[in-house]
Every structure is written in C-alpha cells, then in structure tokens.
Amino acid sequence: MTQSSFDIVVVGGGIAGMVTGVRAAQNGKKVAVLERLAEDRYLCNTRLTGGVFHCALNDVRTPPDQLAEIIMTATEGVATPELAQMLGHNAKRAVQWLQSLDIRFVRGSPDPWHSFVLAPPGIAQLGRNWEGRAGDVLLRSLEANLLKFGGVLLRGHEAKALRMDNGRCVGVTVATEQGSTDFLARAVVLADGGFQANKDMLARHVTKRPDKLIQRNAGSGVGAGLRMAGEVGAALTDLDGFYGHVLSRDGLTNDLLWPYPWLDELLKNYLLVGSDGRRFADEGRGGVYVANSIARLEAPDSAYVVCDETGWNGAGRERFLPPNPNLEKAGATIFRADSLQALAAKAGIDPAALHQEVASYNAAIATGRCGDLSPTRSTHKFAALPIAKAPLYAIPVAAGITYTMGGVRIDAQCRVVAENGGVIAGLHAVGSSTGGLEGGPKVAYVGGLVKAAVTALVCAEHLS
C-alpha cells in the first residue's frame, strides 16, 4: 500500500470529472483526476456525445430564473428547486467558461436549443465515428488544460472504496496494475457517471430484463461512485429512470443500429403496441418516456411501432439519420402489409387486438378525444396522426439506454447529502453520478452535458 496526497481527488475522467479538475487546478488546487480505464482515449459517454449543450431543450442563454422555471415545469416538480436554480443560473456561464479554454462550439440547427454544439460536430451516422469530434476533442482539450494548470490525469486507476475518518471523507482507495494505493485528499468528488452498464443494478432499479436493453452508451458507467457513496451513508434519489431512445430491436445484436437511428420521431405521432396488440404507454410524451415504459415491460423485447405510409414518408424521414431509409440500410427488421390482419400475421402481433386498438385510436383522433384512450394519449406536445394509408408498417423496437438519471443526492454546492439529512464532509458528486434534476414518473429530461458542466463548475468553485 502506498499513499498520495492532494487537495482534491476526482473519480472519473468524463466531462464532469475533467471540468471539476480543470476548474479546481485553475484556482490553484493540487488535483488528481482518476480514470478507471487505461487507454489513451478511454471510451466514456462523453466521447460518444452528439455535443448539444441545452437546458431542458432550451437555449442556455435563456434568462436564469426563466430557465429554472422551465426545468421545474419540464420535470413536473420532480427536480429539487435549489438544483434547478443552480442549473438555470450557471448554464450560460458553463458554456462561456469552456469557450474561455478555446473549446469551440457551432450552431447545430435553427432550433434555439441547438445554439451551442461541440465542434467539430459528432456525425450522425450508422455505427460510431467519435474520434476527432465533439466529445473526443472536448476531453483532449480539457486534459491539456488540466496539465497546464498543474493537475494530473491518472489512467488505469480504479476507485474501490472511500476513506473515512470520524464521518469525514479523507480520500479514496484505488486499484492499479502496481497494487493498491490510498489517495488522501481534503475533498473527494464522485464523477464516474451513472450505472447504465451495470446489469445487476439495472435489474434492481430499472428493468427486470437488463439483457433486453440496448446499451446505447460507452459501457463504462458501472455505478462505482453510487455504490461507494451508499456504503458511507449517502442519501440516494429515485434510481428507476434513464435517458435513452427507442431503437430497432435488432440493435440488441447489430451494432450498426445504435446510437442511431432512433424511432422517437415516428412513435410520437403514431402507435406503440406490445405483441398482444395493446398500447401500454402515452406515445405523446416522446421517446425518453416511451423507452422507459418499454424497459418496464415483463418482456422489453416485445414492442412494435405501428404507422402507415404517410408516417413512414413523413415523420419517418424527420431529423438527422431518420429511420427511413436508414433502418433498412443497417439491416433492421421492418414488417409491411396492405392490411392490419396481414401485418399482424407477419409481425407476430395478436390480430384481433391490433385491429381493435387501431380502430379506437383512429376514432379518438377523429373525435378529438385522445385523452379518453387507455392509456391516455396526450397531444399537447405531439399530434396523434391516423393510421390509414397502405402499406402499413410494424417495426420491432427495444429501449436504448444512454445514462441513468438517479444517483447520489447533492445540495446546491454539490456536497453529498447524508441519509440523516446533513452533508458528508469532504464528499462531493457531480454529473450523472447525481440525482435530483431528472427522472420522476414522467421521466423528465434536462440534459446530460449541461448538468455535468454546471455541477462540475459549481463544485470546483465551492472547493476553491
């Protein structure tokens, strides 16, 4: 056993960990960022990001109090108000601070929430092409700045347990190829992301069948920070929600089908059914909500998006890398038929139930009574469109998980809250290791990049 001593030790080398490290080192602190993976360009979610900095699908330049209100409204009151204020009042500043380090952004689209996209943009294509783009450039730039300000990034250092002394966190025990090392510190910051790649934790909190979720992520988020914090008495938020999208079910075995194309744009206007032919979720709430609904099924690989020719050539061609024609280019299964009876037979869906469900759905649209459907079909965000024009389509789908939304409970200075309601001295958490901003019954989404950057910046400045 050896020992090293620092002012601040950060666990995790993604955007949250690196921003924490750079800002603290910039303020004169002796900082070590510990990364479990040993490769030069270790693969974490940040390297796979599309690079959009937004706040609940709004421009980060929106007035701070208005942004905080937007977060509370978007999350339907689930977000902790003090964290919503923290995010709203620091979102623009976090982007400006990154720009001060010569990290470049471009405008991604005319949408206001695409005003700040990491440059060069990540290419939406079949498969993954992250090197030299978006998050990869961001991490390499942050590493260069960390070294410039006197900090260190130590690859191949896996945090195993927190060191405690009279209720205070005083360091972390780390495993390396050379053996076990204690990193002693005035403060430890957990920044190792969510637990999306930990199937045992997913089975306890998210889905009965984690093997039926498509890992739409880097595979590096195993929940070590969450585990370590829990072991020393940290309070945890609800852990059952995740950010993700609805993907072709063939993505379970075909790597060309993740992270894109997703079917969110198609399902938001049309129908989602199980193999029993029945709806089970409110499609009008969008892809993140529906992906979570699919994950909660007894058989998460039993759902289908159903639409008609108008939808396939309309919503099916919307956004970047749309399902039409890219699903078939990548080898995804798509069932087509000129009648519901024939479509059900091809797809293995209960034909009588599917016929009844589509009839009820179309009638509700015609009479403007989608709210009377069971489950209800909201239309305040996205219009419900009829299924009428042949050929008709049924596309087998599964949920793709990007990162988990719940985590360690923190206060507005990113101090870890204890189960007894106080804080655990010396212990902080940032980014997707934390909860309290996203999730809830409607699986509200705020934005992973801005949450990571803001919590990291606030945490580092509090420790300085």
Side-chain angles (χ1 to χ4, degrees), residues 146-177:
L146 179 67
L147 300 179
K148 181 178 77 172
F149 295 128
V152 293
L153 171 62
L154 301 174
R155 295 169 171 81
H157 282 59
E158 181 177 5
K160 305 297 285 188
L162 297 173
R163 290 284 308 273
M164 304 295 292
D165 183 10
N166 291 323
R168 180 182 183 87
C169 183
V170 295
V172 60
T173 299
V174 175
T176 71
E177 284 189 354

Side-chain angles (χ1 to χ4, degrees), residues 276-438:
D276 61 358
R278 301 296 186 187
R279 293 177 58 245
F280 58 89
D282 180 356
E283 300 93 337
R285 285 199 168 268
V288 178
Y289 173 81
V290 170
N292 279 260
S293 299
I294 293 171
R296 288 192 288 267
L297 293 174
E298 291 290 330
D301 58 345
S302 63
Y304 298 81
V305 170
V306 178
C307 70
D308 66 358
E309 179 71 2
T310 300
W312 183 241
N313 285 304
R317 289 186 178 273
E318 290 180 8
R319 286 181 65 86
F320 51 83
L321 206 77
N324 180 13
N326 293 292
L327 285 178
E328 287 180 298
K329 283 184 179 180
T333 300
I334 300 174
F335 297 107
R336 292 180 178 82
D338 288 333
S339 69
L340 284 174
Q341 184 81 16
L343 186 69
K346 284 185 175 182
I349 303 173
D350 183 294
L354 180 63
H355 188 277
Q356 180 181 345
E357 200 75 350
V358 171
S360 298
Y361 168 81
N362 283 344
I365 294 172
T367 59
R369 300 178 65 88
C370 288
D372 292 343
L373 291 170
S374 181
T376 189
R377 175 57 156 89
S378 59
T379 55
H380 62 284
K381 286 185 177 180
F382 308 113
L385 302 178
I387 295 173
K389 183 179 179 181
L392 309 179
Y393 296 77
I395 305 168
V397 294
I401 182 170
T402 308
Y403 68 82
T404 46
M405 290 177 167
V408 180
R409 189 173 296 281
I410 58 171
D411 67 8
Q413 288 76 47
C414 299
R415 298 178 296 182
V416 171
V417 176
E419 289 177 316
N420 64 13
V423 298
I424 299 177
L427 186 60
H428 298 69
V430 295
S432 296
S433 295
T434 70
L437 274 168
E438 300 180 298

Side-chain angles (χ1 to χ4, degrees), residues 63-377:
D65 286 333
Q66 185 179 338
L67 264 188
E69 184 177 343
I70 286 169
I71 292 168
M72 295 305 298
T73 300
T75 62
E76 301 187 21
V78 166
T80 304
E82 65 175 352
L83 298 185
Q85 285 286 330
M86 175 184 70
L87 201 65
H89 281 260
N90 290 283
K92 175 183 174 182
R93 187 171 73 89
V95 170
Q96 291 175 329
W97 178 80
L98 289 169
Q99 289 175 316
S100 76
L101 301 178
D102 293 328
I103 291 167
R104 296 190 304 111
F105 293 84
V106 296
R107 187 175 188 88
S109 78
D111 292 328
W113 61 284
H114 274 196
S115 296
F116 294 97
V117 181
L118 288 171
I123 297 177
Q125 62 173 6
L126 297 174
R128 289 150 301 286
N129 182 22
W130 53 265
E131 292 188 79
R133 297 188 170 278
D136 182 39
V137 172
L138 171 72
L139 287 186
R140 295 178 74 80
S141 297
L142 288 172
E143 180 179 356
N145 278 282
L146 179 67
L147 300 179
K148 181 178 77 172
F149 295 128
V152 293
L153 171 62
L154 301 174
R155 295 169 171 81
H157 282 59
E158 181 177 5
K160 305 297 285 188
L162 297 173
R163 290 284 308 273
M164 304 295 292
D165 183 10
N166 291 323
R168 180 182 183 87
C169 183
V170 295
V172 60
T173 299
V174 175
T176 71
E177 284 189 354
Q178 289 73 38
S180 185
T181 301
D182 273 351
F183 280 78
L184 305 181
R186 182 170 64 86
V188 172
V189 182
L190 302 175
D192 63 328
F195 60 90
Q196 57 273 358
N198 186 319
K199 289 189 176 181
D200 289 338
M201 294 181 73
L202 289 176
R204 287 198 297 273
H205 302 292
V206 174
T207 178
K208 294 179 181 179
R209 294 296 306 273
D211 57 314
K212 299 301 182 183
L213 296 190
I214 298 169
Q215 288 290 322
R216 190 183 179 271
N217 58 73
S220 57
V222 295
L226 184 65
R227 172 188 58 77
M228 292 189 296
E231 289 171 350
V232 299
L236 307 179
T237 68
D238 291 336
L239 301 176
D240 56 356
F242 65 88
Y243 169 72
H245 294 283
V246 177
L247 305 178
S248 164
R249 191 185 305 164
D250 293 318
L252 288 164
T253 55
N254 181 350
D255 280 347
L256 283 179
L257 288 165
W258 70 270
Y260 309 103
W262 64 49
L263 285 97
D264 300 20
E265 304 305 317
L266 194 58
L267 70 85
K268 69 180 172 49
N269 295 131
Y270 290 93
L271 206 61
L272 181 78
V273 301
S275 57
D276 61 358
R278 301 296 186 187
R279 293 177 58 245
F280 58 89
D282 180 356
E283 300 93 337
R285 285 199 168 268
V288 178
Y289 173 81
V290 170
N292 279 260
S293 299
I294 293 171
R296 288 192 288 267
L297 293 174
E298 291 290 330
D301 58 345
S302 63
Y304 298 81
V305 170
V306 178
C307 70
D308 66 358
E309 179 71 2
T310 300
W312 183 241
N313 285 304
R317 289 186 178 273
E318 290 180 8
R319 286 181 65 86
F320 51 83
L321 206 77
N324 180 13
N326 293 292
L327 285 178
E328 287 180 298
K329 283 184 179 180
T333 300
I334 300 174
F335 297 107
R336 292 180 178 82
D338 288 333
S339 69
L340 284 174
Q341 184 81 16
L343 186 69
K346 284 185 175 182
I349 303 173
D350 183 294
L354 180 63
H355 188 277
Q356 180 181 345
E357 200 75 350
V358 171
S360 298
Y361 168 81
N362 283 344
I365 294 172
T367 59
R369 300 178 65 88
C370 288
D372 292 343
L373 291 170
S374 181
T376 189
R377 175 57 156 89

Side-chain angles (χ1 to χ4, degrees), residues 86 90 93 412-414 453-463:
M86 175 184 70
N90 290 283
R93 187 171 73 89
Q413 288 76 47
C414 299
V454 167
T455 54
L457 200 64
V458 168
C459 179
E461 292 173 349
H462 170 72
L463 290 173

